[in-house]
Amino acid sequence: MTRPIELALSEIGELLDRLFDTALASLDTAMKLVSGEESDAGKVESYSREASRLRQEVIEKTVEALARFQPVASDLRRLTAYMEASYDLFRVSRYALEIARLYGRLPRNCQEVAHEAPGLRGKVEEMLSTAYVALQAEDPEKARSVILLDEEVDRAYVEALDRLAASEQLPRCEVARVLLLRHLERIADHAVYIASAAHYVATGERLEPS
């Protein structure tokens, strides 16, 4: 017999799936704006608004489940992790919106920025997908693998900062590169937070970045 709280967890999980898809769509559209494959920045804003709405639904359903069922142990960890992940996915959509805003102000002669972005974008999307699968499957090994990918993203961002610090002037393209990488680095951090929540559900312990 299905426990009532399992039905609530399933409903919240479905909302979270939709939020995950919306967050990824916002990032995908924002990066297509940077590369010139997309021209409508308004799409990212729409995705961000939808992410905000879905996050609020997750919070409301989670609070209701906590009040009705007073869960303990693994059920409580799942509800806590789902609510935390909803915030992280919402933040992904907000950083995607910042990337879209950057696109509108990016100097059109900064082709290197657009050419560098896809590689790092791939790493960030892999981190998000792996972290979310780890949460769904309650897989601590997948959660830990996200940390290794995060180190690569951090390194790219620090290298961009070093290039900027070494410049006697303040080149517009270098500033644009650093801002773009900073937004991607923050999205990667939120993937790590989701991975930490997944590890918590599976083991009862938080995953700490190395």
Side-chain angles (χ1 to χ4, degrees):
M1 182 176 178
T2 303
R3 296 179 301 144
I5 193 171
E6 289 177 353
L7 295 175
L9 284 164
S10 177
E11 186 177 0
I12 295 168
E14 289 175 5
L15 286 170
L16 206 60
D17 286 346
R18 289 164 56 192
L19 178 50
F20 173 74
D21 290 342
T22 301
L24 274 192
S26 68
L27 178 58
D28 178 65
T29 306
M31 296 307 295
K32 285 179 177 177
L33 286 166
V34 173
S35 65
E37 300 171 69
E38 175 63 65
S39 60
D40 185 3
K43 290 181 181 179
V44 184
E45 189 169 354
S46 296
Y47 283 131
S48 185
R49 284 197 300 268
E50 176 66 3
S52 178
R53 187 190 66 78
L54 288 168
R55 182 204 171 208
Q56 191 58 43
E57 277 198 67
V58 170
I59 292 172
E60 290 172 359
K61 295 290 185 183
T62 302
V63 170
E64 179 184 347
L66 290 168
R68 287 183 60 195
F69 305 117
Q70 299 181 350
V72 295
S74 61
D75 289 334
L76 179 59
R77 291 201 300 270
R78 287 188 186 96
L79 286 170
T80 301
Y82 287 173
M83 190 154 57
E84 290 177 359
S86 74
Y87 172 75
D88 293 311
L89 292 171
F90 165 68
R91 291 305 302 166
V92 169
S93 76
R94 293 299 298 177
Y95 282 113
L97 182 57
E98 290 303 314
I99 291 172
R101 288 169 175 165
L102 172 64
Y103 153 82
R105 296 161 177 80
L106 191 67
R108 290 296 174 265
N109 61 336
C110 295
Q111 295 302 316
E112 288 185 12
V113 177
H115 291 158
E116 283 180 2
L120 198 58
R121 165 195 172 179
K123 294 291 182 187
V124 171
E125 289 180 342
E126 182 181 357
M127 288 178 66
L128 283 170
S129 296
T130 302
Y132 193 68
V133 168
L135 180 61
Q136 289 177 310
E138 300 180 14
D139 186 334
E141 291 298 323
K142 278 191 178 297
R144 285 191 286 269
S145 72
V146 175
I147 297 295
L148 299 177
L149 292 169
D150 187 50
E151 293 173 359
E152 296 180 37
V153 177
D154 285 345
R155 185 162 53 248
Y157 175 55
V158 170
E159 287 173 357
L161 284 178
D162 288 342
R163 284 197 300 268
L164 187 62
S167 301
E168 294 183 2
Q169 299 178 331
L170 200 62
R172 292 184 304 166
C173 292
E174 283 298 324
V175 173
R177 177 184 289 110
V178 169
L179 287 172
L180 178 60
L181 293 179
R182 175 57 176 167
H183 295 323
L184 290 173
E185 188 265 344
R186 289 302 297 143
I187 291 172
D189 283 346
H190 283 286
V192 170
Y193 302 152
I194 295 171
S196 179
H199 197 270
Y200 173 64
V201 171
T203 68
E205 298 178 355
R206 293 289 177 178
L207 184 65
E208 296 295 333
S210 58

